[in-house]
Amino acid sequence: MPNDYVLYGRHVFTGNALLNNQAIYIQNGIINNIETFDNNHSPQQIFDYISPAFIDAQIYGANELLFSAFPNSKSIWALQAHCKQWGTLHFLPTIATNTKEIMYAGIDAAKQYWSEGGKGCLGLHLEGPWINKEKRGAHIESLVHSPNINEVEELLAYGKGVIRMITLAPEVCNEAIIEIIKQAGIIVSAGHSNASFEEATHAFNNGIPTVTHLYNAMSPLSHRAPGMVGATFLHPTVYASIIPDGYHVHFEAVKIACKQMPNRLFAITDAVTTTHTGPYQHTLNGNKYESNGILSGSALTMHQAFKNLVNRVNVNITGALAMCSTIPATMLQVQHQMGFIQKNYAANIIAFNNDLELVGVFEAAAFTEK
């Protein structure tokens, strides 16, 4: 691509609003200006919709390379290629409850990937092992435990600058330990938790900013015990991810969450890949993954998540795009770098036609290549 480039969109989602007839001027991979173009002017190519690229905060592997089974840079490159194909230019490779050796190998893999020039991985998401055994789901029970200070400090030191997010159950973790994790600049997410409404609310008020895969593997909302789901709905600031595939969460339950949590709910894929080695084995059955006949993972892409939100959950296009880009960027505290189409932002941009099919994926780095 040339160093100077212009993208034209009939409808451009900036992260703040959906604007009509916008020209996006890009110089050396950076958005230089955005302005309205004359409707009588006919650029060679006008996209129906333009949006910030998607961001996936929880994905386990792709192309038969489950990251926890193959914790190396090749697996992250495979993830990057898979994600890019479906409009996701930034992602968090995720490791479910595992051994110290696997977690440390994953940290090494991310460092190696970055040394090889990789840009899409924003760091790792460690989902466990500090979760509640009662809500472990498919996680390995023998490895689930409450953390001790030495274990935490050692992991944080080894994973400094690499671990972006940790999912834990607040009721099984000492508050001082959670504070140490937060002070290390890591986003703590509450998940795989049997916390009561009161325990969850206390954790949110004490600074846990987000929740992992709302509804799944957490204390449910019931009329006498509102649980973590109820606490998440009622809290004014806490974010939550959700898996809008129709299998992990009924689409009507997604709709309820959207109504309860405007601007706080965001999509993840929670996607796995065919795996026949290690403790987490998955076989594709239709458009979901199973292990021994039981639902074990998603086959979702962020593009399909976006379309499901529009077509199955009746979220408007602006809201669905925000749930797949702007809101996860804000939750991950990278909203000053991505998740928006604004002047001085990197030009990581995707385009759709009126049928919401992906027709263009534009990486900032590609605009600077000779």
Side-chain angles (χ1 to χ4, degrees), residues 130-132 167-173 178 189-195 228:
W130 309 324
I131 59 175
N132 193 313
T167 291
L168 54 77
E171 74 277 12
V172 305
C173 296
I178 294 175
S189 185
H192 287 273
S193 167
N194 206 28
M228 180 167 280

Side-chain angles (χ1 to χ4, degrees), residues 128-133 141-152 168-174 177:
W130 309 324
I131 59 175
N132 193 313
K133 286 190 178 184
E141 183 175 9
S142 62
L143 296 178
V144 172
H145 65 280
S146 295
N148 64 64
I149 190 69
N150 292 335
E151 171 191 13
V152 171
L168 54 77
E171 74 277 12
V172 305
C173 296
N174 183 284
I177 285 179

Side-chain angles (χ1 to χ4, degrees), residues 181-216:
I181 298 170
K182 285 160 43 190
Q183 289 299 318
I186 294 167
I187 295 162
V188 176
S189 185
H192 287 273
S193 167
N194 206 28
S196 67
F197 173 88
E198 292 77 14
E199 287 172 327
T201 300
H202 178 75
F204 301 155
N205 288 340
N206 275 6
I208 290 182
T210 192
V211 166
T212 294
H213 48 52
L214 184 68
Y215 294 118
N216 299 116

Side-chain angles (χ1 to χ4, degrees), residues 74-191:
K74 180 182 177 183
S75 296
I76 304 179
W77 283 108
L79 261 178
Q80 178 174 304
H82 168 80
C83 286
K84 180 181 176 182
Q85 181 182 357
W86 300 106
T88 301
L89 293 182
H90 294 95
F91 57 92
L92 299 188
T94 304
I95 298 176
T97 295
N98 226 301
T99 63
K100 172 182 173 180
E101 291 72 23
I102 292 295
M103 290 191 289
Y104 281 45
I107 292 165
D108 292 340
K111 292 177 180 177
Q112 180 66 29
Y113 162 86
W114 287 329
S115 75
E116 294 165 356
K119 302 290 186 186
C121 169
L122 295 175
L124 300 189
H125 179 173
L126 301 182
E127 189 192 20
W130 309 324
I131 59 175
N132 193 313
K133 286 190 178 184
E134 292 182 34
K135 294 294 182 181
R136 70 185 184 279
H139 288 228
I140 307 164
E141 183 175 9
S142 62
L143 296 178
V144 172
H145 65 280
S146 295
N148 64 64
I149 190 69
N150 292 335
E151 171 191 13
V152 171
E153 289 181 340
E154 183 182 324
L155 177 64
L156 297 187
Y158 196 84
K160 185 177 181 180
V162 177
I163 302 170
R164 171 75 67 164
M165 189 172 182
I166 293 178
T167 291
L168 54 77
E171 74 277 12
V172 305
C173 296
N174 183 284
E175 285 187 11
I177 285 179
I178 294 175
E179 188 61 30
I180 288 170
I181 298 170
K182 285 160 43 190
Q183 289 299 318
I186 294 167
I187 295 162
V188 176
S189 185

Side-chain angles (χ1 to χ4, degrees), residues 54-96 106 109-110 113-114 116 118-125 268-275 289 298-302 361 363:
F54 296 145
I55 299 168
D56 190 354
Q58 190 161 339
I59 183 168
Y60 299 91
N63 300 333
E64 301 191 7
L65 290 172
L66 192 74
F67 186 50
S68 64
F70 304 96
N72 52 51
S73 64
K74 180 182 177 183
S75 296
I76 304 179
W77 283 108
L79 261 178
Q80 178 174 304
H82 168 80
C83 286
K84 180 181 176 182
Q85 181 182 357
W86 300 106
T88 301
L89 293 182
H90 294 95
F91 57 92
L92 299 188
T94 304
I95 298 176
Y113 162 86
W114 287 329
E116 294 165 356
K119 302 290 186 186
C121 169
L122 295 175
L124 300 189
H125 179 173
I268 54 171
T269 65
D270 199 56
V272 299
T273 186
T274 299
T275 315
Y289 283 90
S298 158
L300 201 59
T301 66
M302 288 300 289
V361 179
E363 284 184 282

